[in-house]
Amino acid sequence: MSASIKGVWSTAALRAHLLAARLAGPVATSREESLRRYRLFAARDPRVLLGLEPEYDWSFMELLRLMGSKCGVSVDPAHTSGQDVIDPELTIAALHAFADRLRTAARARLPVLLGTGHPHRLLGFYAALASALSAAGCRVLTPAQGRCIDITTRFGVRTYRLAYVRGVAMVREPGARPTASEPGAHSHSPLPVRVALGCAAESGGPLPGLVVGDHGWVCGAGQLGFEAMGLGDADDPALFVGEAEGRVSVAVPLDDAVRSGYYRPITRYVLNRACLSQ
């Protein structure tokens, strides 16, 4: 598997890796799930808005066309089953924009906040960015560490604790002991980033010039007026609507739930393009 290679610096090698690891091309996300979430978004279901408050009343067909242009999914509403598809060329173009923005932030030494709702998959990716940005002189922020947050889940309201691992924010159940395979909990909620940003503002500490992450971390921050960018799967329309409406700087289409090791070549590629390789 190409995830084991030592360096992925060329676009051709990156494209090959995206397809081999199923980060793009035919992905694990089902077509049924993508269409279901597009319909929920069109109905403004908060579970899929991820903290975004769309300015425009997106219909299902408008969302389908947007996701076709941003991710490469089929725009045929009659295509209702099977695996969804992400166009690797769109992923690469977005990764270039993502890396260019990282380079600009590093040169300006902006304070940054990184957070993920997929810590078991994406912690290594964001932690490498945090380390590189810190080495470049950016302050990696950790506001509201340890703060308890009540989040509505399919099992009811549960209390989580905001934690930072290697500079990356996530939520954990109180008392949970992190392990290599489960460093934190999976969450789509925008509440953690709202709490973190609110705490930073209240304390008079620095506010981020850039927020990097996924799910609610990106959409929640963008909705509050902070520059935000991150990763989104084919069934995450909120990030791409946020980008279309100007509240998300860069939304990178790729499968966000493959093995953690498969993101390492992407990490190297992004840091190399951003001139942040250590």
Side-chain angles (χ1 to χ4, degrees):
M1 172 60 66
S2 57
S4 65
I5 61 179
K6 297 300 181 182
V8 176
W9 312 129
S10 75
T11 300
L14 175 64
R15 185 182 190 281
H17 172 70
L18 292 172
L19 293 171
R22 296 188 67 185
L23 287 154
V27 294
T29 305
S30 71
R31 178 68 170 179
E32 294 93 333
E33 181 63 11
S34 292
L35 296 181
R36 184 184 76 86
R37 289 174 66 85
Y38 301 167
R39 291 190 176 94
L40 288 173
F41 189 98
R44 290 184 175 254
D45 189 308
R47 292 173 296 176
V48 296
L49 293 179
L50 308 182
L52 191 75
E53 297 176 11
E55 296 178 355
Y56 180 74
D57 289 328
W58 293 84
S59 70
F60 168 77
M61 281 305 302
E62 287 168 330
L63 282 171
L64 188 58
R65 288 192 289 270
L66 175 73
M67 295 303 285
S69 66
K70 295 286 188 180
C71 294
V73 304
S74 171
V75 297
D76 180 2
H79 178 197
T80 59
S81 63
Q83 301 310 117
D84 227 329
V85 175
I86 294 175
D87 185 342
E89 300 304 327
L90 294 175
T91 302
I92 291 168
L95 285 172
H96 287 174
F98 184 94
D100 293 347
R101 184 66 195 103
L102 283 180
R103 182 173 63 248
T104 301
R107 287 177 175 172
R109 296 189 175 182
L110 295 180
V112 293
L113 175 65
L114 299 98
T116 181
H118 274 294
H120 55 306
R121 303 296 186 189
L122 291 168
L123 173 59
F125 173 74
Y126 295 119
L129 301 186
S131 176
L133 289 166
S134 177
C138 295
R139 182 170 177 180
V140 177
L141 305 179
T142 57
Q145 181 158 346
R147 186 72 60 90
C148 287
I149 306 170
D150 292 330
I151 298 176
T152 300
T153 73
R154 59 179 176 168
F155 305 108
V157 176
R158 288 191 170 182
T159 299
Y160 293 88
R161 192 176 301 276
L162 184 60
Y164 290 85
V165 177
R166 296 160 58 193
V168 183
M170 64 191 69
V171 293
R172 292 186 182 136
E173 293 189 19
R177 294 184 176 180
T179 66
S181 60
E182 292 294 338
H186 178 219
S187 174
H188 289 196
S189 175
L191 291 179
V193 76
R194 290 175 184 166
V195 168
L197 293 171
C199 183
E202 290 168 8
S203 67
L207 295 173
L210 179 66
V211 178
V212 181
D214 47 60
H215 292 148
W217 287 93
V218 176
C219 293
Q223 182 63 39
L224 291 174
F226 292 86
E227 182 174 2
M229 66 178 188
L231 313 180
D233 209 331
D235 62 351
D236 288 329
L239 277 84
F240 300 97
V241 168
E243 185 180 44
E245 291 189 345
R247 273 162 292 166
V248 173
S249 293
V250 182
V252 180
L254 86 175
D255 192 308
D256 58 12
V258 304
R259 293 181 184 180
S260 58
Y262 291 174
Y263 297 99
R264 290 181 194 135
I266 294 176
T267 306
R268 289 192 290 268
Y269 185 90
V270 165
L271 291 179
N272 185 62
R273 182 178 176 90
C275 303
L276 291 171
S277 297
Q278 299 181 57

